[in-house]
Amino acid sequence: MQAADVKVVVTERVEAAVGVVSLTLGAVDGGALPPWSPGAHIDLHLREDLVRQYSLCGDPEDRAHWRIAVLRETGGRGGSVFVHDELAVGTALSVSAPRNNFALLPARRYLFIAGGIGITPLLPMIAQAHAEDAEWGLLYGGRTRGSMAFAKRLATRHGARVQVRPQDEHGLLDLAAHLAEPDEETLIYACGPEPMLAAVAAASAHWPSGALRVERFTPVEVGEPVRADAFDVVLARSGTRVTVRPGCSILETVEAAGVDVLSSCREGTCGTCETAVLAGVPEHRDSLLTPDERESNEIMFICVSRSLSPELTLDL
């Protein structure tokens, strides 16, 4: 089951960079939109069979408007092309309420690292860190300067705190230099393509556990499940027991048993199907949880994650 709680209309459309369109959304009835915090995203229900997640990149204090920015990816799965070609000013659509799997945690210092359209969730984080007088810096990479949305505005507004590093001018981001010295009082927030995120993780491997927080647009490659055979899932609220067969997800199995579970991406990136684990040991195959969160085994994302134990008990 997919949640689409808010009816919105496109009120403004701006070309934010080469291949990037920025859309401002307002409530169809003109009322206040649901609140959100930096790092949140919404699901756009573009068609019945086309739901995509985009980060909110505007001002959380502006309850009348939401803003997203979308990179056109002609080789993608169709969502960004639909946004670019079909969503004009005046277009109405349904979206989910905001969800946040990438919240800005309190810290004395922040290092923000963006790759291309990965700048979007970091924009309101930067604004909040700046407003709270935290120390912060931004390292922003992209293919070319013209393709890097909001780069000029950020550099003009914040000066030396912002380092804009287009690849065609500077090469790949010098992550080793920026992450050479670990700092217990600094949190690293990174968003961008998977190769960049992998490079950030490698360059910060010697930092304290939990220092790196990432947001992914595509799922991490995790290989085959550890447990190849079937396992049972007990749905604690009803006492129902279902068997999850190889090749079938927990989400699909409980849906087949008549249980409605909110879901969206079905690839472990959006967080909609977050479920509390009451007993058993999950095999986490999502692209969201931190290492500490995985170790705690308190929650799992049942669209992709499976079980290491013969049985799981879930709060469903």
Side-chain angles (χ1 to χ4, degrees), residues 230-244:
F231 58 92
D232 285 350
V233 171
V234 177
L235 311 182
R237 298 181 196 177
S238 65
T240 301
R241 178 185 296 269
V242 296
T243 299
V244 181

Side-chain angles (χ1 to χ4, degrees), residues 1-2 249 251-252 255 261 263-270 273 303-304:
M1 182 173 67
Q2 298 178 338
S249 71
L251 175 61
E252 292 166 338
E255 286 179 332
V261 181
S263 65
S264 181
C265 73
R266 295 180 179 248
E267 60 182 15
T269 59
C270 77
C273 66
C303 65
V304 292

Side-chain angles (χ1 to χ4, degrees), residues 111 175-184 186 188 203-204 206-208:
L111 174 59
L175 298 172
H178 286 85
L179 298 170
E181 296 297 328
D183 183 352
E184 293 184 353
T186 298
I188 307 162
S204 63
H206 59 298
W207 280 59

